[in-house]
């Protein structure tokens, strides 16, 4: 389902959040790009802001392959640089656990532009005003500031002060920014969720892992709610997430597996007519194994 280029059928790629499960979106993008599926705009939140921002800068199959290489090199310490010193500082002086240095370094090293309006595709990053709970959409200005704000999990990362507002993770208000895409003029949506760890009999171990697991559950519910309330004139397709999915959204050790599985599953979905099918995949709804 390539974009028509028609204003009234403008296609948006909508990237949800999900921590390290963002690798799944990379596999989805690979299969979509290989089949000539393109976007007119990109809307992203949380880790989806990172993936969406990179795609908006290099919206090609080669670009997606390079993003996959970046993901395969990532380790927990690259995104969540925790040390004894950071824990000590958190306990004594701070209201957040980790600095933004890891995420900022990824953006500075790999994003091929500096301001959102310089991306090849129109790009909209969803954040949350941590004081009011309202969604704040950033479409121009420094890309690093916008992405860092959208990925700032409360209590883990500090909120970002932007134009007098304290901005944090888009997951709090609109992690799957379906409504934002429609407000920005999209009439065809391709939604790339990360899914959630549906196979297991206990929550993951660790404070950050538990927080991220809760966020992924929230995301899935939000996607369903948004799509069940969407205007019937809006055409949408939801790329099915991986299922069963094990592990934690805090664990980057399964990145290669997630990318390869997502490529295969998305290719199968396309081959079975997924791009012409309307509906919410069962993998996204609450379930267990």
């Amino acid at each position: 389902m390539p974009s028509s280029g028609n204003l009234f059928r403008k296609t948006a790629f909508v990237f949800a959040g999900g921590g390290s499960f963002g690798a799944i979106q990379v596999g989805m993008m690979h299969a979509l790009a290989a089949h000539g599926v393109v976007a007119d705009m990109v809307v992203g939140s949380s880790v989806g802001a990172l993936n969406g921002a990179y795609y908006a800068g290099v919206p090609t199959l080669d670009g997606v392959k390079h993003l996959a290489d970046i993901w395969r090199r990532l380790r927990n310490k690259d995104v969540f640089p925790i040390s004894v010193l950071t824990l000590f500082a958190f306990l004594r002086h701070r209201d957040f656990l980790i600095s933004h240095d890891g995420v900022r370094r990824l953006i500075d090293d790999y994003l091929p532009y500096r301001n959102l309006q310089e991306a090849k595709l129109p790009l909209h990053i969803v954040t949350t005003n941590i004081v009011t709970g309202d969604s704040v959409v950033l479409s121009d200005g420094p890309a690093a500031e916008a992405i860092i704000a959208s990925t700032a999990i409360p209590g883990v990362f500090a909120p970002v002060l932007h134009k007098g507002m304290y901005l944090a993770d888009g997951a709090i208000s609109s992690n799957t920014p379906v409504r934002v895409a429609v407000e920005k003029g999209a009439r065809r949506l391709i939604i790339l969720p990360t899914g959630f760890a549906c196979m297991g009999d206990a929550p993951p171990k660790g404070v950050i892992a538990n927080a991220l697991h809760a966020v992924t559950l929230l995301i899935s519910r939000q996607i369903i709610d948004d799509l069940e309330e969407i205007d019937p004139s809006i055409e949408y397709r939801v790329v099915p997430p991986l299922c069963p999915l094990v592990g934690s959204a805090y664990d980057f050790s399964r990145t290669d597996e997630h990318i390869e599985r997502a490529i295969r599953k998305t290719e199968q979905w396309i081959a079975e007519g997924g791009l012409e099918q309307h509906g919410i995949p069962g993998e996204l709804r609450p379930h267990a194994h």
Side-chain angles (χ1 to χ4, degrees), residues 226-246:
D226 285 351
L227 292 179
E228 287 181 341
E229 297 175 1
I230 200 169
D231 187 312
S233 68
I234 304 299
E235 179 183 341
Y236 70 85
R237 304 291 183 261
V238 183
V239 184
L242 299 182
C243 180
L245 183 59
V246 299

Side-chain angles (χ1 to χ4, degrees), residues 167-241:
L167 303 182
D169 197 330
I172 305 167
S173 59
S174 181
N175 195 276
T176 59
V178 169
R179 282 168 289 183
V180 172
V182 175
E183 289 168 2
K184 294 298 182 181
R187 290 298 175 266
R188 176 187 289 124
L189 311 179
I190 298 180
I191 300 158
L192 292 81
T194 61
F196 58 93
C198 56
M199 190 169 183
D201 53 9
K205 297 183 182 298
V207 174
I208 300 176
N210 267 281
L212 284 168
H213 178 66
V215 166
T216 60
L217 296 175
L218 172 66
I219 294 164
S220 296
R221 299 295 179 94
Q222 183 67 44
I223 293 176
I224 294 168
D225 289 347
D226 285 351
L227 292 179
E228 287 181 341
E229 297 175 1
I230 200 169
D231 187 312
S233 68
I234 304 299
E235 179 183 341
Y236 70 85
R237 304 291 183 261
V238 183
V239 184

Side-chain angles (χ1 to χ4, degrees), residues 136-182:
V136 177
V137 182
L138 303 178
S139 305
D140 56 27
E145 184 176 276
I147 296 168
I148 288 170
S150 190
T151 57
I153 306 164
V156 179
F157 297 102
V160 173
L161 182 59
H162 174 81
K163 296 183 178 179
M165 299 177 290
Y166 288 92
L167 303 182
D169 197 330
I172 305 167
S173 59
S174 181
N175 195 276
T176 59
V178 169
R179 282 168 289 183
V180 172
V182 175

Side-chain angles (χ1 to χ4, degrees), residues 5 11 13 15 18 31 37 63 78 93 98 122 132 147 177 179 184 212 215 237 254 266 280 284:
T11 297
F13 278 9
F15 292 86
V37 185
D78 297 321
H93 303 293
I98 307 171
T132 66
I147 296 168
R179 282 168 289 183
K184 294 298 182 181
L212 284 168
V215 166
R237 304 291 183 261
R254 297 176 180 268
T266 306
I280 301 171
L284 201 58

